[in-house]
Amino acid sequence: AVRRSPAASVALTGVATWAVVGGTSLAREARTVGRALEAGDVEAARERLPHLCGRDPQALDADGIARAVVESVAENTSDAVVGALVWGAVAGVPGLVGFRAVNTLDAMVGHKSPRYRRYGWASARLDDVAGWPGARLTAVLAALSGPDPRGAVRAWRADAGKHPS
């Protein structure tokens, strides 16, 4: 319906991109937890952590919460920002929305739990396949943006294969 109108096409693409890319809320939540940790308020940080990841915050000390935030920001930068934009560049609005649907399905049922073990494996593997290009691009961008790109690439090569996905 929007192909006949360049303005409508741009508007649809803009709205879909805004809806799919979660970088703003990701950064906001990470800063909120970071400020609580800087203030020494571990309880406030524990209260906000579930907005970023599914870990049990009661089992984490301040350092563990900080690690969870960094890991969550890294993973979600790949999934919610770079991966979505890669698929948007490849397939337009259907790519954006399709990638977000696959990623959300994995987040909802892809966990290894007794209830979803037989159902969740497919969504988890589909998410791994769909996320592969964005994850590689995120790693390249992270390596290039840091102070030691060669060291980052060495760490990437050494540690990437140790991750379950």
Side-chain angles (χ1 to χ4, degrees), residues 27 39 56 62 76 93 99 112 120 125 133 136 142:
D56 177 11
N76 284 297
V93 172
F99 179 77
K112 293 179 181 175
R125 295 297 72 82
R136 296 317 175 271

Side-chain angles (χ1 to χ4, degrees), residues 100 121 143 156:
R100 175 53 54 219
W121 70 268
W156 174 16

Side-chain angles (χ1 to χ4, degrees), residues 9-114:
S9 180
V10 167
L12 175 63
T13 302
V15 167
T17 302
W18 176 83
V20 166
V21 175
T24 303
S25 60
L26 174 66
R28 181 180 55 244
E29 291 299 333
R31 279 193 300 271
T32 300
V33 175
R35 282 192 297 271
L37 289 174
E38 286 173 352
D41 192 349
V42 177
E43 285 308 311
R46 281 188 180 120
E47 287 178 25
R48 296 304 299 184
L49 188 62
H51 294 258
L52 282 172
C53 66
R55 293 189 193 176
D56 177 11
Q58 301 308 317
L60 300 174
D61 61 2
D63 289 342
I65 292 169
R67 279 191 299 275
V69 169
V70 170
E71 290 169 12
S72 183
V73 168
E75 180 180 359
N76 284 297
T77 296
S78 177
D79 287 347
V81 181
V82 179
L85 293 175
V86 165
W87 282 104
V90 169
V93 172
L96 282 166
V97 175
F99 179 77
R100 175 53 54 219
V102 166
N103 193 252
T104 301
L105 181 63
D106 176 48
M108 295 177 75
V109 298
H111 297 290
K112 293 179 181 175
S113 70

